Amino acid sequence: MNMKKLIYFVLCILLFSCSIKKTEKFNKEFNTELVKESKDTIDYLTAIESNIVNDFLECELVTDRYKRYKDYQYIIVLESLPKKKAIESYLYSQRESQEKRDFPLKKEDAKKFLFLDSLETKKINSELENEPIYHWKRSDFKNIKVNLITHKKIIQMSNTEEYLNLPDRLIIYLSRPLVFDSEKAFISFSIGSSFLSFNPICHFSALMKKENNK
């Protein structure tokens, strides 16, 4: 009986050891995937875009909706969201305002937000028709430590359930800012936890307005 217990105990240790090694191997491969960046890129954020991105994350990530994720690692999806999403959100808000259906802003605030007319939105849509996808760099983010992951890797993790072997992470999809002038810019984003590969917390487009030099 004692021999059977001993054999069982040894088997448990071996299985546990194999599980740890498998997880460590996967984490090592995953982290290798995370830190890859193209050294051949010639596309960088402008100083204004960089300020907008970092000011946005500084404001957004301290809101109450992320309190339970405060100890999570930050992961940025390598491929940016298209800027066009911001204009799509803008046009949706414009329609909601005109049709007076559950529009969240007061009339005077709506005027500040809905500052583009139909000709301007049509022109911007046309300019963004063949918009290139920006590849984020870790150096783009000044106030938080981030790693990068490809969209393809997230899909792979979801299909194979590899994410079950990983520590908790906050995954951030982010557009390059759509800058209108020195005072206003749009930025689109989707943020989720790594639970179930990507469990959405929130996603929308935000209008950034300059105040106190930020």
Side-chain angles (χ1 to χ4, degrees), residues 2-3 6 30 46 65 68 88 91 110 118 124 143 148 157 159 164 166-167 176 181 188 192-193 207 214:
N2 287 338
M3 182 59 71
L6 180 62
F30 181 74
T46 65
R65 64 171 68 96
R68 61 178 292 193
E88 290 170 359
L91 291 171
S118 57
I124 294 169
N143 304 322
L148 303 171
M157 287 167 55
N159 291 338
L164 296 174
L166 293 170
R176 195 168 181 167
D181 52 43
S188 296
S193 74
L207 172 63
K214 295 191 73 172

Side-chain angles (χ1 to χ4, degrees), residues 133-204:
I133 299 299
Y134 179 70
H135 283 190
W136 294 104
K137 302 159 193 65
R138 292 193 305 280
S139 57
D140 289 333
F141 305 94
K142 311 298 183 187
N143 304 322
I144 57 173
K145 184 179 179 181
V146 305
N147 271 320
L148 303 171
I149 187 170
T150 63
H151 184 260
K152 181 181 177 181
K153 186 66 177 180
I154 289 182
I155 299 299
Q156 177 189 324
M157 287 167 55
S158 181
N159 291 338
T160 62
E161 297 188 349
E162 294 174 71
Y163 59 87
L164 296 174
N165 296 317
L166 293 170
D168 293 326
R169 290 171 162 89
L170 203 62
I171 301 174
I172 305 172
Y173 288 77
L174 197 62
S175 76
R176 195 168 181 167
L178 179 57
V179 182
F180 297 100
D181 52 43
S182 61
E183 301 295 321
K184 296 186 290 295
F186 269 128
I187 193 164
S188 296
F189 72 99
S190 182
I191 299 179
S193 74
S194 57
F195 178 68
L196 297 180
S197 184
F198 184 79
N199 190 42
I201 298 170
C202 69
H203 57 95
F204 52 80

Side-chain angles (χ1 to χ4, degrees), residues 6-198:
L6 180 62
I7 292 170
Y8 176 76
F9 180 69
V10 171
L11 281 173
C12 285
I13 290 175
L14 286 171
L15 287 170
F16 183 66
S17 175
C18 288
S19 175
I20 288 175
K21 285 178 180 177
K22 185 178 178 183
T23 301
E24 286 176 347
K25 180 177 181 292
F26 177 75
N27 274 330
K28 185 177 179 181
E29 290 172 354
F30 181 74
N31 286 331
T32 301
E33 181 75 24
L34 282 176
V35 300
K36 282 182 180 176
E37 293 183 27
S38 172
K39 294 181 180 178
D40 300 324
T41 183
I42 56 171
D43 195 11
Y44 293 91
L45 295 182
T46 65
I48 291 173
E49 288 175 325
S50 178
N51 288 338
I52 291 167
V53 167
N54 286 284
D55 286 348
F56 166 73
L57 289 174
E58 186 180 328
C59 293
E60 178 63 22
L61 293 177
V62 297
T63 57
D64 288 346
R65 64 171 68 96
Y66 304 103
K67 274 187 176 178
R68 61 178 292 193
Y69 311 102
K70 62 184 176 64
D71 297 323
Y72 281 30
Q73 297 177 33
Y74 294 128
I75 306 296
I76 303 289
V77 179
L78 180 72
E79 302 90 348
S80 67
L81 284 173
K83 293 180 187 177
K84 202 165 185 178
K85 279 190 170 290
I87 288 300
E88 290 170 359
S89 298
Y90 181 91
L91 291 171
Y92 174 80
S93 296
Q94 196 175 52
R95 287 194 300 271
E96 291 290 293
S97 173
Q98 289 169 351
E99 295 173 18
K100 296 181 174 60
R101 297 181 308 184
D102 300 324
F103 193 64
L105 297 178
K106 296 177 182 178
K107 190 173 181 180
E108 56 272 23
D109 293 328
K111 286 181 180 178
K112 297 176 186 176
F113 175 72
L114 301 172
F115 58 92
L116 299 172
D117 61 31
S118 57
L119 288 176
E120 288 170 317
T121 53
K122 187 175 180 180
K123 180 176 181 287
I124 294 169
N125 254 334
S126 177
E127 290 172 349
L128 295 176
E129 196 61 45
N130 299 307
E131 173 194 355
I133 299 299
Y134 179 70
H135 283 190
W136 294 104
K137 302 159 193 65
R138 292 193 305 280
S139 57
D140 289 333
F141 305 94
K142 311 298 183 187
N143 304 322
I144 57 173
K145 184 179 179 181
V146 305
N147 271 320
L148 303 171
I149 187 170
T150 63
H151 184 260
K152 181 181 177 181
K153 186 66 177 180
I154 289 182
I155 299 299
Q156 177 189 324
M157 287 167 55
S158 181
N159 291 338
T160 62
E161 297 188 349
E162 294 174 71
Y163 59 87
L164 296 174
N165 296 317
L166 293 170
D168 293 326
R169 290 171 162 89
L170 203 62
I171 301 174
I172 305 172
Y173 288 77
L174 197 62
S175 76
R176 195 168 181 167
L178 179 57
V179 182
F180 297 100
D181 52 43
S182 61
E183 301 295 321
K184 296 186 290 295
F186 269 128
I187 193 164
S188 296
F189 72 99
S190 182
I191 299 179
S193 74
S194 57
F195 178 68
L196 297 180
S197 184
F198 184 79

